[in-house]
Amino acid sequence: MLFKKNTSLGKTKSNLLIFLFFIFPFFLHSEQNLEGNYTNIKILDKISSKNILVKLKNGEAKKYKDLLIKSMKCKNSEFDDNPEITAYIQVSDLTNKNKDDVFVFNGWMFSSSPSITPFDHPVYDIWLISCY
């Protein structure tokens, strides 16, 4: 009777070690790249029918005419076939003298579905364009 050595167990262990040390860090690195430092939004002035692309650094407020806009965080989706961009944005109306209304908009915006959490202002519309 001949005995066979079990070499498949050794191959499985070596394949697992290769995966853990060489391939797995790439997955961790790709997830960290999903969050960006800058947010691009497009602002439409409904009165003049002109739009402008505004680049926001996350965490810093930027004034555009009567609006004070601040992007807190933005993130790209991990799916390439249907990319989704989300950003947490705060918008204040500087013409509003009522100090009880802190923000005109304070929440998450989605690039593919702006109607989920709409920005409601009589003069301006804001759309999320990109995150990088």
Side-chain angles (χ1 to χ4, degrees):
M1 187 175 190
L2 295 172
F3 291 104
K4 252 179 133 175
K5 288 186 177 181
N6 189 358
T7 57
S8 64
L9 183 62
K11 288 180 183 177
T12 306
K13 284 183 181 178
S14 64
N15 289 342
L16 182 63
L17 287 175
I18 290 171
F19 176 76
L20 287 176
F21 289 113
F22 296 108
I23 300 172
F24 187 68
F26 290 112
F27 291 117
L28 292 177
H29 183 66
S30 67
E31 288 179 8
Q32 293 171 354
N33 289 337
L34 297 177
E35 195 168 315
N37 295 323
Y38 292 93
T39 304
N40 281 340
I41 60 170
K42 191 164 273 197
I43 302 174
L44 171 68
D45 187 344
K46 295 177 188 176
I47 296 172
S48 67
S49 298
K50 294 187 179 184
N51 61 21
I52 186 168
L53 184 68
V54 177
K55 179 180 174 182
L56 303 169
K57 182 173 170 80
N58 291 343
E60 293 181 7
K62 189 166 192 175
K63 184 179 175 187
Y64 175 77
K65 294 188 180 180
D66 296 333
L67 299 177
L68 186 65
I69 307 164
K70 185 176 185 179
S71 174
M72 302 299 288
K73 187 176 191 176
C74 73
K75 189 173 181 182
N76 294 306
S77 69
E78 55 191 40
F79 303 110
D80 291 334
D81 57 344
N82 189 12
E84 177 69 69
I85 302 161
T86 57
Y88 189 80
I89 295 178
Q90 296 175 334
V91 182
S92 299
D93 190 354
L94 300 176
T95 60
N96 190 0
K97 301 301 178 197
N98 187 2
K99 298 300 179 188
D100 293 337
D101 298 332
V102 178
F103 297 112
V104 176
F105 181 82
N106 184 18
W108 290 95
M109 279 192 177
F110 302 93
S111 63
S112 64
S113 303
S115 61
I116 291 177
T117 54
F119 173 75
D120 189 28
H121 194 271
V123 180
Y124 302 105
D125 272 343
I126 293 179
W127 291 284
L128 178 62
I129 302 298
S130 64
C131 172
Y132 60 96

